[in-house]
Amino acid sequence: MSRLADRPPRRTGPPRRNRPAQPRRPAPVDHARLAAYQLLRAVSAEDAYANLALPALLAEHGLGGRDAALATELGYGTVRAAGTLDEVIAGCVDRPLADVEPAVLDLLRLGTYQLLRTRIPRHAAVATTVDLARTTDNGRAAGFLNAVLRKIAVDDWQGWTDRLAVGASPLRALALRSAHPEWVAAAFADALGEDPSGDLAETRAALQADDERPQTHLVAWPGRITREDLLAASGGATGPYSPFAVRMSGGDPAAVAAVRERRAGVQDEGSQLCALATANAPLSGRDERWLDLCAGPGGKTALLAALAVERGARVTANELHPHRAELVRKATAPWDVEIREGDARSLPELDGGYDRVLLDAPCTGLGALRRRPEARWRRRTEDVPELAALQAELLAAALRLVRPGGVVAYVTCSPHPAETAAVVAAASGAELLDARAAFPGVDALGPGPTVQLWPHRHGTDAMFCALLRKR
Ligand SMILES: C[S@@+](CC[C@H](N)C(=O)[O-])C[C@H]1O[C@@H](n2cnc3c(N)ncnc32)[C@H](O)[C@@H]1O
């Protein structure tokens, strides 16, 4: 529930009585709500990514400080809660939601979010939404918006989700209350080993963590800056797990000179740990040729490249999409990295094979939902089998390219078991190592031999890592 969005709206007062009727004066433009509304339009009409669209809108409206915080809270909050908000709205309109004009539906979502998930007074949530309808050329829907929002205002989030959950399974009830699709809640419960008909306490914590703003993590690239120097330069705190991690408590990472000078980068600590596990997995024999099979945009390649220098190894990075291969080139400019472009499944074998291969596979990204407000509703459960089939083929390619005795790190930014454990279980010709040993000092890694990180446990993205040694 928002603590931020408790500011009374900027409005003109009600018309005084006993005076001749005056033409209605338009309400002053509420730029924070207008920016939030435009964000919703961009997400629903143009498939925009909210985190990419918002900064331009804040700049366009000249918003800073509390106004920017309000626009962000209302925009991101509404996008995150959209599926449950739609179920509430559907119960209060006299037609299918598909028959409500899309712009008006976005106004309803914004109003409903303010009513149910912020401390904004009810009358203000309704009145500002009706004003916004007029500002945005949707004035003809003012009466409709007013009537629907007044119906919604009779209860709060808990009350509405209780009503929607009558007779539902514990999993559906949790999905509604945490504003996630039920299939995502089911995947998290499965990954956490919780009984879907039980109390789902940890699944609840994992889903709630998706609504929290992630801290920015920095990586001090070995050989380019020490962590101590990065701590001093950024004012951040020591990351608890990666020897290169600094966690910032706020502020813009681009304001840190070491980041601008490419001595340090922005990288989730979980991603750092997976790159480190790739480099540190036990290996006998030659250890000189490392391959990052699906490298774009190159965050893990950069850390691997920095580690490779210290270890006398050389990194090859492959990426399917040329524009993303270009990002890898930029990310790895300080090091000697061989960049290839093409489908990893048809990458030619290296004479003698690679010693270490990182496969950071394309996935649903369910482990980074806190970074992508719209992603939980845009992803579909139908996406999973297709991705899982691609992941299996990529893992087979990784095992073809690594030498016997060499190691493949299979990594996803998703905890969905169909993309993690099931893909690894179906791989042949390799032995599964206990990956927990490659995550020293990290607690609560689960029963092994694979590793699953979680935002609510580790403050990182929900990265999965399996280490496979080729027979
Ligand atoms: C999860 S991302 C990798 C993130 C990267 N390791 C990092 O840390 O910055 C997966 C990448 O695989 C690429 N990809 C998808 N299909 C591929 C394929 N068949 N062959 C090679 N790369 C592929 C995607 O374009 C994407 O850049």
Coordinates of all heavy atoms in Angstrom, one line a residue, residues 293-300 318-321 324 342-345 360-362 390 394, ligand 1:
L293 N 27.4 -17.7 -24.1 CA 26.6 -18.2 -25.3 C 25.5 -17.2 -25.8 O 25.3 -17.0 -27.0 CB 26.1 -19.5 -25.0 CG 25.7 -20.4 -26.2 CD1 26.8 -20.6 -27.2 CD2 25.3 -21.8 -25.6
C294 N 24.8 -16.6 -24.8 CA 23.7 -15.7 -25.1 C 24.0 -14.4 -24.3 O 23.5 -14.2 -23.2 CB 22.4 -16.3 -24.6 SG 21.9 -17.7 -25.6
A295 N 24.8 -13.6 -24.9 CA 25.6 -12.6 -24.0 C 24.9 -11.2 -23.9 O 25.2 -10.5 -23.0 CB 27.0 -12.4 -24.6
G296 N 24.0 -10.8 -24.9 CA 23.4 -9.5 -24.9 C 22.6 -9.2 -23.6 O 21.9 -10.1 -23.1
P297 N 22.7 -8.0 -23.0 CA 23.6 -6.9 -23.4 C 25.0 -6.9 -22.9 O 25.7 -5.9 -23.1 CB 22.8 -5.7 -22.8 CG 22.1 -6.2 -21.6 CD 21.8 -7.7 -21.9
G298 N 25.4 -7.9 -22.2 CA 26.8 -8.0 -21.9 C 27.2 -7.8 -20.4 O 28.4 -7.7 -20.1
G299 N 26.2 -7.7 -19.5 CA 26.6 -7.5 -18.1 C 27.4 -8.6 -17.6 O 28.5 -8.3 -16.9
K300 N 27.0 -9.8 -17.8 CA 27.8 -10.9 -17.2 C 29.1 -11.1 -18.0 O 30.1 -11.5 -17.4 CB 27.0 -12.2 -17.2 CG 25.8 -12.1 -16.2 CD 25.1 -13.4 -16.1 CE 23.8 -13.2 -15.4 NZ 22.8 -12.3 -16.1
N318 N 28.8 -14.6 -27.6 CA 27.9 -14.8 -28.8 C 26.5 -14.2 -28.5 O 26.0 -14.2 -27.3 CB 27.8 -16.2 -29.1 CG 26.8 -16.5 -30.2 OD1 27.2 -16.2 -31.4 ND2 25.6 -16.9 -30.0
E319 N 25.9 -13.6 -29.5 CA 24.6 -13.0 -29.3 C 23.9 -13.1 -30.7 O 24.4 -12.8 -31.7 CB 24.7 -11.5 -28.8 CG 23.4 -10.7 -28.9 CD 22.2 -11.3 -28.1 OE1 22.4 -11.7 -27.0 OE2 21.1 -11.2 -28.7
L320 N 22.6 -13.4 -30.6 CA 21.8 -13.6 -31.8 C 21.5 -12.3 -32.5 O 21.6 -12.1 -33.7 CB 20.4 -14.3 -31.4 CG 19.4 -14.5 -32.5 CD1 20.0 -15.4 -33.6 CD2 18.1 -15.0 -32.0
H321 N 21.1 -11.2 -31.7 CA 20.6 -10.0 -32.3 C 21.7 -9.0 -32.5 O 22.4 -8.7 -31.5 CB 19.5 -9.4 -31.5 CG 18.3 -10.3 -31.4 ND1 17.5 -10.6 -32.4 CD2 17.8 -11.0 -30.3 CE1 16.5 -11.5 -32.0 NE2 16.7 -11.7 -30.8
R324 N 22.0 -6.1 -30.1 CA 22.4 -6.5 -28.7 C 23.9 -6.9 -28.7 O 24.6 -6.7 -27.7 CB 21.5 -7.7 -28.2 CG 20.1 -7.1 -27.8 CD 19.1 -8.1 -27.4 NE 19.3 -8.6 -26.0 CZ 18.9 -8.0 -24.9 NH1 18.3 -6.9 -25.0 NH2 19.2 -8.5 -23.7
G342 N 25.1 -14.6 -34.0 CA 24.5 -15.7 -34.6 C 23.7 -16.5 -33.6 O 23.7 -16.3 -32.4
D343 N 23.0 -17.5 -34.1 CA 22.2 -18.4 -33.3 C 23.1 -19.3 -32.6 O 23.9 -20.1 -33.2 CB 21.2 -19.1 -34.2 CG 20.1 -19.9 -33.3 OD1 20.5 -20.4 -32.3 OD2 19.0 -19.8 -33.7
A344 N 23.0 -19.3 -31.3 CA 23.9 -20.2 -30.5 C 23.8 -21.6 -30.8 O 24.8 -22.4 -30.7 CB 23.6 -20.0 -29.0
R345 N 22.6 -22.0 -31.4 CA 22.4 -23.4 -31.7 C 23.3 -23.9 -32.9 O 23.5 -25.1 -33.1 CB 20.9 -23.7 -31.9 CG 20.1 -23.6 -30.6 CD 18.7 -23.6 -30.9 NE 18.2 -22.3 -31.6 CZ 17.0 -22.0 -31.9 NH1 16.0 -22.8 -31.5 NH2 16.7 -20.9 -32.5
D360 N 23.2 -18.0 -20.2 CA 22.2 -17.2 -19.5 C 21.0 -17.1 -20.5 O 21.0 -16.2 -21.4 CB 22.8 -15.8 -19.2 CG 22.0 -14.9 -18.3 OD1 21.0 -15.5 -17.8 OD2 22.3 -13.7 -18.2
A361 N 20.1 -18.0 -20.3 CA 19.2 -18.2 -21.4 C 18.0 -17.2 -21.5 O 17.6 -16.7 -20.5 CB 18.6 -19.6 -21.2
P362 N 17.5 -17.0 -22.7 CA 16.3 -16.1 -22.8 C 15.2 -16.8 -22.0 O 15.1 -18.0 -22.1 CB 16.0 -16.1 -24.3 CG 16.9 -17.2 -24.9 CD 18.0 -17.5 -24.0
L390 N 13.2 -23.8 -26.4 CA 14.4 -23.1 -26.8 C 15.6 -23.3 -25.8 O 16.7 -23.5 -26.2 CB 14.1 -21.6 -27.0 CG 15.3 -20.7 -27.3 CD1 16.0 -21.0 -28.6 CD2 14.8 -19.2 -27.4
L394 N 19.3 -24.8 -26.5 CA 20.5 -24.0 -26.1 C 21.4 -24.7 -25.2 O 22.6 -24.7 -25.3 CB 20.1 -22.6 -25.6 CG 19.4 -21.6 -26.6 CD1 18.8 -20.4 -25.9 CD2 20.5 -21.2 -27.6
Ligands
LIG1 C1 18.9 -13.3 -20.6 S1 19.6 -12.5 -21.9 C2 21.3 -12.5 -21.5 C3 21.7 -11.4 -20.5 C4 23.2 -11.3 -20.4 N1 23.9 -12.5 -20.0 C5 23.6 -10.2 -19.4 O1 23.9 -10.5 -18.2 O2 23.6 -9.0 -19.7 C6 19.5 -13.6 -23.2 C7 20.1 -13.2 -24.5 O3 20.0 -14.3 -25.4 C8 19.8 -13.8 -26.7 N2 19.3 -14.9 -27.5 C9 18.0 -15.3 -27.7 N3 18.0 -16.4 -28.5 C10 19.3 -16.7 -28.8 C11 19.9 -17.6 -29.6 N4 19.2 -18.6 -30.3 N5 21.2 -17.6 -29.8 C12 22.0 -16.6 -29.2 N6 21.4 -15.7 -28.4 C13 20.1 -15.7 -28.2 C14 18.8 -12.7 -26.5 O4 18.8 -11.8 -27.6 C15 19.3 -12.0 -25.2 O5 20.2 -11.0 -25.5

